[in-house]
Amino acid sequence: MGAFVKTSESYRPGARTMPGRYYTAPEILAEEQERIFARHWISVGRAADFAAGGDYRLAQLAGESVIVLRDQQGALRAFYNVCRHRGTRLCDAAQGRLSETIQCPYHAWTYALDGRLIGAPHMHEVEGFDKQDYPLHPVALAQWEGFVFANLAPEPRPLATAFAPVLERFRHFNLPALVTVRRTAYTVRANSKLVMQNYSECLHCPTIHPELSTKLPYTSGANDLVEGPFLGGYMEIKPPNASATMSGRACGLLLGDLPPDDRTRAFYYTIFPTMMLSLHPDYAVYYTVWPKGPTESVVACEWLVHPDSPASPGYNIEDAAEFWDRTNRQDWRICERSQLGVASRMYAPGPYSPRESVPAAWDREYLRQLGHHEL
Amino acid sequence: MGAFVKTSESYRPGARTMPGRYYTAPEILAEEQERIFARHWISVGRAADFAAGGDYRLAQLAGESVIVLRDQQGALRAFYNVCRHRGTRLCDAAQGRLSETIQCPYHAWTYALDGRLIGAPHMHEVEGFDKQDYPLHPVALAQWEGFVFANLAPEPRPLATAFAPVLERFRHFNLPALVTVRRTAYTVRANSKLVMQNYSECLHCPTIHPELSTKLPYTSGANDLVEGPFLGGYMEIKPPNASATMSGRACGLLLGDLPPDDRTRAFYYTIFPTMMLSLHPDYAVYYTVWPKGPTESVVACEWLVHPDSPASPGYNIEDAAEFWDRTNRQDWRICERSQLGVASRMYAPGPYSPRESVPAAWDREYLRQLGHHEL
Amino acid sequence: MGAFVKTSESYRPGARTMPGRYYTAPEILAEEQERIFARHWISVGRAADFAAGGDYRLAQLAGESVIVLRDQQGALRAFYNVCRHRGTRLCDAAQGRLSETIQCPYHAWTYALDGRLIGAPHMHEVEGFDKQDYPLHPVALAQWEGFVFANLAPEPRPLATAFAPVLERFRHFNLPALVTVRRTAYTVRANSKLVMQNYSECLHCPTIHPELSTKLPYTSGANDLVEGPFLGGYMEIKPPNASATMSGRACGLLLGDLPPDDRTRAFYYTIFPTMMLSLHPDYAVYYTVWPKGPTESVVACEWLVHPDSPASPGYNIEDAAEFWDRTNRQDWRICERSQLGVASRMYAPGPYSPRESVPAAWDREYLRQLGHHEL
């Protein structure tokens, strides 16, 4: 599902889909990993996931296992999940709570939560060995709207610079304070870019999502971010529906102090390269899309509501969750059929219509970031 | 199983099996796909499979999904299964009946059954867009003896030219009129060429098929097509057996108006590159052998009988089907052991005997078609 | 688990683990197969496995299936498992008893147990064909301490030369006479070298094997083979324990006429490249470690005891077998975590301590044999 265009300011006549190799070639995926996933700010969770000192979660970035943790001083930090001794993976469980240290389970090298090596049995017998030379390798970390972003680049561009166009834009949605009430994940046998493109237009809604189309007419609304790494816009929720739910009713309290217009709108944005953010008056959905291979992706989803919602009368997140579970499965199925087709020798870039201006802009951003200026 | 040689006119002293890489290397399979499977007439079914206008089946050729259909005027046609908009696979089910059109399930681009694009929502907003520029990509189609052949080559050699040596040869077997009464398919963990070679000689019959050998003595008969893309010959059915069945009895009516000699013979032919055709007085078996990787194949089989057979007294296709199910499984097992052996670094081309003159000729044809004139 | 160093004669300050590609790259595995597994004496079983003439077992060496057999004259022989006719794998079952010959199941080419081709149906029709030109391809075979070693090299260095440092060293353990009483095998999702290194040091024992450490203190003992293809040493069995068993009691008779010191010691050696030999007063464990891919290995284990042990009072091999099953599984698990870590882009060779001098020496031998003199 996704936002669509009314205004065509970002549409360039003659815009076409990308060549097939971008969806099938292992070499392209390897380039993506290096030039995009290993250099950009990648969304790895929410600050609220780390309640107490020692709480950690593992993230996968460009094939790397990264430990994201809150240290005992309350700061969020991230490290490569690799012991400096013989390379052993330090943390195994996807999440957990560490004691005051990270100890390697193999030969007991021990690190403080700020990464310093503080114990290394028998290494004092090695002449010239200095624990200061073997801290954990750090990974850059930053936050935006309560979401945590990691960046493998040794000297990353500051997130505040990279996110300048949207730094304040969603402030009224109260995102850092929302609570996660539901999580799910899907495996999709399609290239992750097909998932991002699919989210970015609603021209497919009448054929793929007949039920959704009765609540979110695909010709309503407008795109308001039409070029660059942040893309998307809104659709009007068609009365008498109050939200994008099975019943059409709101499933919880308003997310924040929303202006009247935003109380009847649904917003759909992509945050390049992997994040998708759906904002409804009463709930948000936070997606991350992870390439698992040239032809396979995993999509992780979280449903966020106002912290007072779960205890409020009429709260019913299932009403929204089922709406999107059905819609998302319809989308994954068609993405999988696209994957099969674009692998054909006869597939060639086809023409985008003005109502596919956002996927066209997403493709342009992707190719720019990949450094492929000429196709 | 397969035909054998009595006359040795096609045997060349010193003929040897092919080097191991032809059975194991992904590069060789890729060459095969391009030079053989994407350029030759490949058997994709029988005309009788398409009873009514709109009936379609999917075929897989050189990694391509191809829609084979009968249009509303009664003509058979074939198209790449790829939408011209964003490349989506149009048809998903292996077979079915289309309405008057093929509609892409993603953004509703709609094609007539002759491939013309007749609907493309919102594309009229694109300046210069002309539906005539986006027909489905056609695939060449032709028929021989009721079998349908597809050819991915842009300008294929006419089938009538390619099949000249056998155009009329099997006329008395009445093949176009026969009815398919049974289908099955096997996965074989062996290169498809090992399956073709195995079918092409009966020197292995005494060791591999002791039961079959009592009905079809491996030293009987003669090969009558001994060089080129059509190869094989006949064996004598040993009295008192009347056919190649478990019981030895005929399992149905004579296929056609057979001359007396052919009423006691079984014919085994290969139609390069994937088809095998077994003709008995009372039934035929139509095989196609599909490479799924350098070391895996799928063999599809159909049993064909006279259209009046199923309603005739004494009809018992299971008697033939079980005979070949047992025989075929014995063959697949030994092909799989051959596959394991030819992957060895010590395997080197070994000597063919005069009784393996047909596999030797098949290898020559294969290498010619692959353009490997020197080994 | 493994031996450790007290004396540091083989430790070189600054010794480091190997770069990550040695544990992940398919190219390195291919080099290993050619330069190590296809050129060295590789342990493929025990002479006692071949009780009678015709007994055979299949071994896998560098991707090759090899038939190891005892011929009718009592000699052990080995051959590539490849028919000289069309390459078929001759023997299929992992072990069995042959008649006086090996007959190919495809076209009945028949070989004597010394490899001579003695039957080839219809090949006499081929002018110039001589059975003498088509014997089975032999593989060199030799024995040491009752273990059988095969070598794919066309002209291998004599085993007596290669094994000179250990030819007599274990004589008092009576190894050729021991009986195998238990076999098992494990699949480990780690490079085989990580398994060899893990076996070669006990610095990890306090963290990984807390129970074992109460019976075999990791700071006890000494390494006595510290450079080259044979590496290891001993640990002291801590009283009141008499052996490395769950109960601490001996599980059988003494293996041989052991000097008093050796009755309270456990010896752990690696025999480059795949064999590991654990010697306790009352039982031995014979391991072979087989790479199945860059990141997967199979470890085969056999428990050997004095031939009179099984009938003796107090015999309880399960007491030892369970001890090592637990210990080995702890080891495989940490090897698998090492594998995950060393695949990281941030993994770099880390410093070995003096207590890891044996793995450091093993790495040196490996790199020498691979011909990688500079890293």
Side-chain angles (χ1 to χ4, degrees):
Chain A
M1 225 294 298
F4 81 104
V5 72
K6 173 178 265 168
T7 55
S8 65
E9 65 268 41
S10 79
Y11 175 70
R12 300 181 188 178
R16 288 182 169 265
T17 61
M18 293 192 290
R21 68 180 179 279
Y22 286 93
Y23 303 105
T24 57
E27 300 75 27
I28 292 281
L29 177 60
E31 272 193 68
E32 273 180 27
Q33 296 282 22
E34 289 316 304
R35 300 197 187 170
I36 296 176
F37 285 82
R39 288 195 199 167
H40 273 255
W41 291 103
I42 307 291
S43 182
V44 295
R46 300 182 69 228
D49 297 336
F50 306 86
D55 280 1
Y56 82 89
R57 283 170 181 259
L58 299 186
Q60 285 278 340
L61 287 174
E64 294 294 328
S65 177
V66 171
I67 306 168
V68 184
L69 60 79
R70 191 176 294 283
D71 71 19
Q72 301 297 350
Q73 286 68 48
L76 288 175
R77 295 178 179 271
F79 302 101
Y80 282 86
N81 193 0
V82 178
C83 182
R84 296 296 305 273
H85 177 212
R86 281 167 59 178
T88 307
R89 180 163 285 190
L90 296 162
C91 295
D92 207 23
Q95 57 183 289
R97 180 163 296 177
L98 297 159
S99 69
E100 309 254 319
T101 60
I102 301 173
Q103 186 175 73
C104 179
Y106 205 165
H107 304 90
W109 281 37
T110 305
Y111 305 87
L113 296 190
D114 61 4
R116 280 174 301 122
L117 177 64
I118 57 176
H122 290 283
M123 292 306 295
H124 61 275
E125 300 166 21
V126 179
E127 196 185 309
F129 178 83
D130 186 343
K131 287 203 281 277
Q132 293 194 51
D133 296 338
Y134 297 97
L136 291 180
H137 292 294
V139 172
L141 218 58
Q143 298 180 49
W144 169 77
E145 288 289 7
F147 299 102
V148 180
F149 294 79
N151 194 321
L152 295 184
E155 297 185 16
R157 193 177 169 214
L159 182 135
T161 310
F163 278 56
V166 293
L167 267 191
E168 301 292 321
R169 189 177 190 103
F170 303 115
R171 192 50 52 100
H172 53 296
F173 280 101
N174 197 26
L175 289 162
L178 301 186
V179 293
T180 295
V181 289
R182 203 170 190 284
R183 292 175 205 266
T184 188
Y186 301 89
T187 295
V188 187
R189 286 165 302 167
N191 187 285
S192 67
K193 295 186 288 295
L194 291 173
V195 175
M196 302 302 290
Q197 293 159 353
N198 167 271
Y199 180 85
S200 301
E201 49 89 4
C202 206
L203 176 61
H204 69 266
C205 293
T207 10
I208 300 292
H209 312 301
E211 320 81 352
L212 174 142
S213 296
T214 64
K215 283 154 188 164
L216 298 166
Y218 84 106
T219 50
S220 71
N223 289 313
D224 47 28
L225 286 167
V226 296
E227 196 69 39
F230 311 98
L231 293 167
Y234 67 91
M235 301 173 78
E236 299 285 357
I237 299 166
K238 185 178 177 184
N241 297 292
S243 184
T245 56
M246 293 302 292
S247 70
R249 290 192 291 273
C251 68
L253 304 176
L254 286 182
L255 293 183
D257 186 17
L258 303 182
D261 270 2
D262 289 3
R263 298 180 185 198
T264 60
R265 288 179 174 172
F267 296 81
Y268 302 101
Y269 294 99
T270 57
I271 314 290
F272 190 84
T274 61
M275 183 171 161
M276 313 194 296
L277 187 59
S278 301
L279 303 170
H280 307 87
D282 49 332
Y283 71 94
V285 193
Y286 157 49
Y287 299 88
T288 43
V289 184
W290 304 95
K292 291 295 162 187
T295 66
E296 189 173 307
S297 312
V298 165
V299 184
C301 320
E302 297 190 15
W303 275 259
L304 316 184
V305 299
H306 188 283
D308 297 337
S309 255
S312 300
Y315 172 72
N316 181 11
I317 191 63
E318 285 309 307
D319 204 14
E322 189 181 345
F323 183 83
W324 286 111
D325 182 61
R326 289 191 188 194
T327 301
N328 288 335
R329 288 180 192 274
Q330 291 161 345
D331 280 327
W332 312 154
R333 219 170 317 153
I334 198 70
C335 288
E336 291 175 346
R337 283 179 74 159
S338 279
Q339 181 65 52
L340 294 171
V342 297
S344 167
R345 72 185 70 202
M346 289 306 274
Y347 163 71
Y352 276 130
S353 74
R355 291 196 174 267
E356 294 160 290
S357 66
V358 175
W362 195 91
D363 291 358
R364 285 193 293 272
E365 181 67 18
Y366 166 80
L367 292 167
R368 252 194 305 272
Q369 297 295 350
L370 202 61
H372 289 203
H373 302 291
E374 305 282 329
L375 278 194
Chain B
M1 225 295 298
F4 81 104
V5 72
K6 174 178 264 169
T7 55
S8 66
E9 66 268 40
S10 82
Y11 175 69
R12 302 181 188 177
R16 290 182 167 265
T17 61
M18 293 193 289
R21 68 179 179 280
Y22 286 93
Y23 304 105
T24 56
E27 300 75 27
I28 292 281
L29 177 60
E31 272 193 68
E32 272 180 28
Q33 296 282 20
E34 290 315 306
R35 299 198 189 169
I36 295 175
F37 284 84
R39 288 196 200 165
H40 274 255
W41 291 104
I42 306 292
S43 182
V44 295
R46 301 182 70 228
D49 296 337
F50 306 86
D55 279 0
Y56 83 89
R57 282 167 183 261
L58 299 185
Q60 285 278 340
L61 289 175
E64 294 295 329
S65 177
V66 172
I67 306 169
V68 183
L69 59 80
R70 191 178 292 283
D71 71 19
Q72 300 298 351
Q73 286 69 46
L76 289 177
R77 294 175 180 273
F79 302 101
Y80 282 86
N81 193 359
V82 178
C83 183
R84 296 296 305 274
H85 177 214
R86 280 166 62 178
T88 307
R89 181 163 284 190
L90 296 162
C91 296
D92 208 22
Q95 57 184 289
R97 181 163 295 177
L98 296 158
S99 69
E100 308 253 320
T101 60
I102 302 173
Q103 185 174 73
C104 179
Y106 205 166
H107 304 90
W109 281 36
T110 305
Y111 304 86
L113 297 191
D114 62 4
R116 280 175 302 122
L117 177 63
I118 56 175
H122 289 284
M123 292 306 295
H124 62 275
E125 300 166 21
V126 179
E127 196 186 307
F129 178 83
D130 185 342
K131 287 202 282 276
Q132 291 194 51
D133 296 338
Y134 296 96
L136 292 180
H137 292 294
V139 172
L141 217 58
Q143 298 180 47
W144 169 77
E145 289 289 7
F147 298 102
V148 180
F149 293 80
N151 193 322
L152 296 183
E155 297 185 16
R157 194 179 167 212
L159 181 135
T161 311
F163 278 56
V166 293
L167 266 192
E168 300 293 321
R169 188 177 190 99
F170 303 115
R171 192 52 48 99
H172 53 296
F173 280 102
N174 196 26
L175 289 161
L178 301 186
V179 293
T180 295
V181 289
R182 203 170 189 285
R183 292 173 204 268
T184 188
Y186 302 89
T187 296
V188 186
R189 285 165 303 167
N191 188 284
S192 66
K193 296 186 288 294
L194 292 172
V195 175
M196 302 302 291
Q197 292 159 353
N198 168 271
Y199 180 85
S200 301
E201 48 91 2
C202 205
L203 176 61
H204 69 267
C205 293
T207 10
I208 299 292
H209 311 300
E211 319 81 353
L212 174 142
S213 297
T214 65
K215 284 155 186 161
L216 298 166
Y218 84 106
T219 50
S220 71
N223 289 312
D224 46 28
L225 288 168
V226 296
E227 196 69 39
F230 311 99
L231 293 169
Y234 67 92
M235 301 173 77
E236 299 285 357
I237 299 166
K238 186 178 176 183
N241 298 290
S243 184
T245 57
M246 293 302 292
S247 70
R249 288 192 291 273
C251 68
L253 304 176
L254 285 183
L255 294 184
D257 185 19
L258 303 182
D261 270 2
D262 289 4
R263 297 180 184 197
T264 59
R265 288 177 175 174
F267 295 81
Y268 302 100
Y269 294 99
T270 57
I271 314 289
F272 191 83
T274 61
M275 183 172 162
M276 313 193 297
L277 186 59
S278 302
L279 303 170
H280 306 88
D282 49 334
Y283 71 93
V285 193
Y286 157 50
Y287 298 89
T288 44
V289 185
W290 305 95
K292 291 295 163 186
T295 66
E296 189 174 307
S297 313
V298 165
V299 184
C301 320
E302 297 189 16
W303 275 261
L304 316 184
V305 299
H306 188 281
D308 297 336
S309 256
S312 300
Y315 172 73
N316 182 12
I317 191 64
E318 284 310 305
D319 204 16
E322 189 181 344
F323 183 84
W324 286 111
D325 182 62
R326 289 190 187 196
T327 302
N328 287 335
R329 288 179 192 275
Q330 291 161 345
D331 279 327
W332 312 154
R333 219 171 315 152
I334 198 70
C335 287
E336 291 175 345
R337 283 179 76 158
S338 277
Q339 180 66 51
L340 293 171
V342 297
S344 166
R345 72 184 70 202
M346 289 308 272
Y347 162 70
Y352 275 130
S353 74
R355 292 197 175 266
E356 294 159 292
S357 65
V358 176
W362 196 91
D363 291 359
R364 286 193 293 272
E365 181 66 18
Y366 167 79
L367 292 167
R368 251 194 307 270
Q369 297 295 351
L370 202 61
H372 289 203
H373 301 291
E374 305 282 328
L375 278 193
Chain C
M1 224 294 299
F4 81 103
V5 73
K6 174 178 264 170
T7 56
S8 64
E9 66 269 40
S10 80
Y11 176 69
R12 302 181 188 178
R16 288 181 169 266
T17 61
M18 294 192 290
R21 68 179 178 279
Y22 286 94
Y23 303 105
T24 57
E27 300 75 26
I28 292 281
L29 177 60
E31 272 193 68
E32 273 180 28
Q33 296 282 22
E34 289 315 305
R35 300 198 188 169
I36 295 176
F37 284 83
R39 289 197 199 164
H40 274 255
W41 291 104
I42 306 293
S43 181
V44 295
R46 300 183 70 228
D49 297 335
F50 306 85
D55 280 1
Y56 83 90
R57 282 168 182 261
L58 299 186
Q60 285 278 341
L61 287 174
E64 294 295 329
S65 177
V66 172
I67 305 168
V68 184
L69 60 79
R70 191 176 295 281
D71 71 19
Q72 300 297 351
Q73 287 68 47
L76 289 176
R77 295 177 180 272
F79 303 101
Y80 283 87
N81 193 0
V82 178
C83 182
R84 296 296 305 273
H85 176 214
R86 281 166 59 178
T88 307
R89 181 163 283 190
L90 296 163
C91 296
D92 207 24
Q95 56 183 290
R97 181 162 295 176
L98 296 159
S99 69
E100 309 253 321
T101 61
I102 302 174
Q103 185 175 72
C104 179
Y106 205 165
H107 304 89
W109 281 35
T110 305
Y111 304 87
L113 297 190
D114 61 4
R116 281 176 300 122
L117 177 63
I118 56 176
H122 289 283
M123 293 306 295
H124 61 275
E125 301 167 21
V126 179
E127 196 185 307
F129 179 82
D130 185 343
K131 288 202 282 275
Q132 292 194 51
D133 296 338
Y134 296 96
L136 292 180
H137 292 295
V139 172
L141 217 58
Q143 297 181 49
W144 169 77
E145 290 288 7
F147 299 103
V148 180
F149 294 80
N151 194 321
L152 295 183
E155 297 185 15
R157 194 179 168 212
L159 182 135
T161 310
F163 278 57
V166 293
L167 266 192
E168 300 293 321
R169 189 178 189 101
F170 303 115
R171 192 50 51 100
H172 53 296
F173 280 102
N174 196 25
L175 289 162
L178 301 186
V179 293
T180 296
V181 289
R182 204 172 188 285
R183 293 173 203 267
T184 189
Y186 302 90
T187 296
V188 187
R189 285 166 303 167
N191 188 283
S192 67
K193 297 185 287 295
L194 291 173
V195 174
M196 302 302 292
Q197 292 160 353
N198 168 271
Y199 179 85
S200 301
E201 48 90 3
C202 206
L203 177 61
H204 70 266
C205 293
T207 12
I208 300 292
H209 312 300
E211 321 79 353
L212 175 142
S213 296
T214 64
K215 284 155 187 163
L216 298 167
Y218 84 107
T219 50
S220 72
N223 290 312
D224 46 28
L225 287 167
V226 297
E227 197 69 38
F230 311 99
L231 292 168
Y234 67 92
M235 301 173 77
E236 299 284 357
I237 299 165
K238 186 178 177 183
N241 298 291
S243 184
T245 56
M246 292 303 292
S247 69
R249 289 191 291 273
C251 67
L253 304 176
L254 285 183
L255 293 184
D257 186 18
L258 303 182
D261 270 3
D262 289 3
R263 298 179 184 199
T264 59
R265 288 177 174 172
F267 296 81
Y268 302 101
Y269 295 99
T270 57
I271 314 289
F272 191 84
T274 61
M275 183 173 162
M276 313 194 296
L277 187 58
S278 301
L279 303 170
H280 307 87
D282 49 333
Y283 71 93
V285 193
Y286 157 50
Y287 299 89
T288 44
V289 184
W290 305 94
K292 292 293 163 187
T295 66
E296 188 173 308
S297 312
V298 165
V299 184
C301 319
E302 297 188 15
W303 276 261
L304 316 183
V305 299
H306 189 282
D308 297 336
S309 256
S312 298
Y315 171 73
N316 182 11
I317 191 63
E318 285 309 305
D319 205 14
E322 189 180 346
F323 184 84
W324 287 111
D325 182 62
R326 290 190 187 195
T327 302
N328 288 335
R329 288 180 191 274
Q330 292 162 344
D331 280 327
W332 313 153
R333 219 171 316 153
I334 197 70
C335 288
E336 290 175 346
R337 282 179 75 158
S338 278
Q339 180 67 50
L340 294 171
V342 297
S344 165
R345 73 185 69 202
M346 289 308 272
Y347 163 71
Y352 275 130
S353 74
R355 291 197 174 267
E356 294 159 290
S357 66
V358 176
W362 195 91
D363 290 358
R364 286 193 294 271
E365 182 66 18
Y366 167 80
L367 292 167
R368 251 194 307 270
Q369 298 294 351
L370 202 61
H372 290 202
H373 301 290
E374 306 282 328
L375 278 194

